[in-house]
Amino acid sequence: MADKDIRVRFAPSPTGALHIGGGHTALFNWLWARHTGGCFILRIEDTDLVRSTKEYEQTIMDGMTWLGLDWDEGPDKGGDYGPYRQSERLDLYRKYAEQLIGEGKAYRDGEAVLFRVEPGQDVSFDDAVYGRVEVMSDALKERDSDKLKDIVIIKSDGMPTYNYAVVVDDHLMAISHVIRGEDHISNTPKQILLYRALGWDVPVFAHLPMILGRDKKKLSKRHGATSVYEYRDMGYMPDSVFNFLALLGWSAGEGHEVFTRAEAASLFELSRVTRKPAVLDPDKMNFINQEHLKRLDPDTRLAMVRPFWEEMGLPVSQVEADRGKDWLAGALTLMEGRGRTAREMAEFSDYFVSFEPVKTRWDGADIAEDRKPGLREFFAAILAEPEWMPEALEARARNWTEERGVKMKDYAMPLRFALTGMKVSPGIFEVAAHLGRDEARRRLEYYGLV
Ligand code: GLU
């Protein structure tokens, strides 16, 4: 199904980190390229020399790499249609501006070059997502006036404007589909006029829906995390950020909310992207992330959680040296389904890595003195269990409590507190079994329960 003629591009301006909107646009371009076997191009639109930096360019590339959006041509990769930075293509913009001037379609105004907008031009277009967009050139007015506004193509500082450079580049880079945010719909008629004046075919335009926060307002800094990296730092995985960005304006099918990159690429259809504004819903993101966390193999899950344990100051390397990597990964396997992000999973499982947080959470003071002899008997029986496995421990606890006609939960709860310092945890006998007899004894002793 490879379609070599399909060429799409993500064209960020390197004036900030990769934000959610940019990631979303990059991702939909990537999906279309990978679905069709076409080519995904990264073009850096750095004509704003004051605000553009190499650092931002690198951050954007790193953000895309983190999301798993690899590109086939770009400033770092090269390709047959370079250079891939607008600042390195100034001679091209100049050349076509001269051509337009020569044909009387553009004129100089001081150092600047302006493109003449003629009235009565039909600049309607069929958007692959929005459908027919009807516009006449007469609508391209000067702000707050009835005067038709000519289009600046080269500014007095010699730099091309966005609307002009994007047309020259999309044409010379043989872009077949321009997939970008809906905020560019209003620029499209101007770009169409320029394509026509230059005698070039117009690509397919596909504008992506606006992304809204939960309050149904356009996504902005007010809504909290806006850069892709903020999600990483909160403990979201690249697979799930990819997944929920893909769900903004597209669906893999009824009830098919959790998917891999490969599944999304195979199912993606540009024609199924909706123009309905898409809401970035934190609950949905958490759900998706949790589902991806559950599906990870133990080693990858450990690699995801580990930095958060370290950030919390827990002695991860020491425990790994003592107990091995598999033991740590095994602790997280016990946690399956708990924690919506890697950060939460790290927080919910800290007691495996250290007893210290347990002590700060629970001081044991809520256990009445007169209950202690009974608890000590119970824990002595548990610690004496020869087969230190969850089932055996649980069977012993059950027999012990049944024989005495007491409630299992009155004994299991203090065990849970002593081992984890938490009210909720995975099965407490599983936790005890994993911690090991010596560690369980040590913790119970600390609370005077042995
Ligand atoms: N540099 C433009 C932006 O970041 C690109 C828009 C386009 O894709 O045409 O919004």
Side-chain angles (χ1 to χ4, degrees), residues 161-396:
T161 57
Y162 156 70
N163 276 312
Y164 172 62
V166 82
V167 168
V168 173
D169 292 344
D170 284 344
H171 171 74
L172 295 180
M173 293 182 180
I175 299 302
S176 61
H177 293 69
V178 169
I179 304 174
R180 60 186 174 197
E182 54 74 46
D183 48 329
H184 288 293
I185 291 181
S186 60
N187 289 319
T188 308
K190 293 178 200 156
Q191 295 172 14
I192 291 176
L193 284 174
L194 290 166
Y195 276 105
R196 277 193 206 148
L198 289 158
W200 294 339
D201 287 340
V202 175
V204 174
F205 292 103
H207 288 93
L208 303 173
M210 189 188 294
I211 303 174
L212 309 178
R214 209 170 17 186
D215 56 1
K216 304 281 160 68
K217 301 231 169 72
K218 195 177 162 120
L219 195 68
S220 74
K221 287 238 186 309
R222 285 183 301 109
H223 294 98
T226 51
S227 102
V228 164
Y229 277 162
E230 288 172 74
Y231 286 90
R232 178 196 61 186
D233 297 343
M234 288 188 287
Y236 291 93
M237 301 184 307
D239 291 359
S240 44
V241 178
F242 177 101
N243 190 150
F244 67 69
L245 285 179
L247 288 174
L248 298 175
W250 176 72
S251 114
E254 186 67 32
H256 191 180
E257 286 195 304
V258 182
F259 42 73
T260 63
R261 285 185 192 80
E263 282 174 303
S266 106
L267 295 167
F268 186 76
E269 279 303 338
L270 207 44
S271 59
R272 297 234 337 274
V273 175
T274 68
R275 59 184 181 185
K276 200 169 130 257
V279 178
L280 190 73
D281 176 359
D283 293 337
K284 172 64 87 46
M285 276 161 25
N286 285 334
F287 163 76
I288 299 225
N289 199 62
Q290 191 162 26
E291 291 303 309
H292 279 279
L293 267 177
K294 283 188 204 164
R295 286 164 205 214
L296 288 182
D297 64 82
D299 281 355
T300 315
R301 193 185 292 116
L302 175 60
M304 285 298 309
V305 171
R306 186 187 184 115
F308 294 99
W309 275 339
E310 276 163 0
E311 199 188 295
M312 290 155 68
L314 298 174
V316 190
S317 303
Q318 186 57 52
V319 174
E320 182 171 355
D322 293 347
R323 304 244 207 182
K325 194 168 150 202
D326 289 350
W327 185 87
L328 277 173
L332 294 177
T333 302
L334 286 181
M335 295 297 296
E336 257 177 278
R338 286 181 175 75
R340 296 164 303 176
T341 62
R343 180 185 288 280
E344 271 189 6
M345 187 175 262
E347 286 167 2
F348 294 172
S349 63
D350 60 358
Y351 52 82
F352 282 112
V353 193
S354 166
F355 183 34
E356 295 312 311
V358 180
K359 295 189 214 165
T360 40
R361 276 195 293 268
W362 192 60
D363 60 7
D366 53 349
I367 299 225
E369 275 310 315
D370 62 352
R371 281 211 62 210
K372 287 195 175 163
L375 284 168
R376 283 189 195 116
E377 254 184 72
F378 172 75
F379 291 130
I382 296 289
L383 290 169
E385 169 57 44
E387 199 192 340
W388 193 257
M389 302 283 275
E391 303 76 27
L393 291 173
E394 182 165 356
R396 178 167 277 241

Side-chain angles (χ1 to χ4, degrees), residues 2-137:
D3 189 340
K4 288 272 168 285
D5 293 337
I6 292 200
R7 293 175 53 83
V8 293
R9 84 308 190 268
F10 173 50
S13 303
T15 55
L18 183 65
H19 49 85
I20 287 295
H24 182 245
T25 301
L27 188 144
F28 277 62
N29 277 283
W30 182 91
L31 280 174
W32 187 231
R34 297 296 171 255
H35 177 74
T36 55
C39 188
F40 178 42
I41 295 142
L42 174 64
R43 182 173 72 226
I44 299 296
E45 305 212 322
D46 57 349
T47 54
D48 182 340
L49 296 178
V50 179
R51 293 172 58 225
S52 301
T53 69
K54 277 270 163 12
E55 288 71 36
Y56 283 136
E57 181 181 315
Q58 192 56 50
T59 324
I60 290 171
M61 296 203 283
D62 292 345
M64 290 172 70
T65 304
W66 185 75
L67 279 172
L69 307 176
D70 56 321
W71 53 99
D72 308 306
E73 296 173 20
D76 57 330
K77 283 233 161 97
D80 293 341
Y81 298 79
Y84 293 91
R85 275 186 204 97
Q86 288 189 327
S87 60
E88 295 164 16
R89 301 171 62 81
L90 300 182
D91 50 331
L92 293 166
Y93 309 128
R94 196 140 285 286
K95 171 179 157 192
Y96 291 102
E98 294 299 337
Q99 179 185 317
L100 289 170
I101 294 169
E103 293 169 351
K105 295 172 180 164
Y107 58 93
R108 276 184 222 285
D109 182 5
E111 295 294 300
V113 180
L114 275 80
F115 173 79
R116 216 184 292 280
V117 175
E118 304 288 351
Q121 307 284 306
D122 187 350
V123 274
S124 304
F125 61 99
D126 289 304
D127 190 278
V129 173
Y130 278 75
R132 185 88 184 147
V133 180
E134 306 263 7
V135 198
M136 294 297 286
S137 62

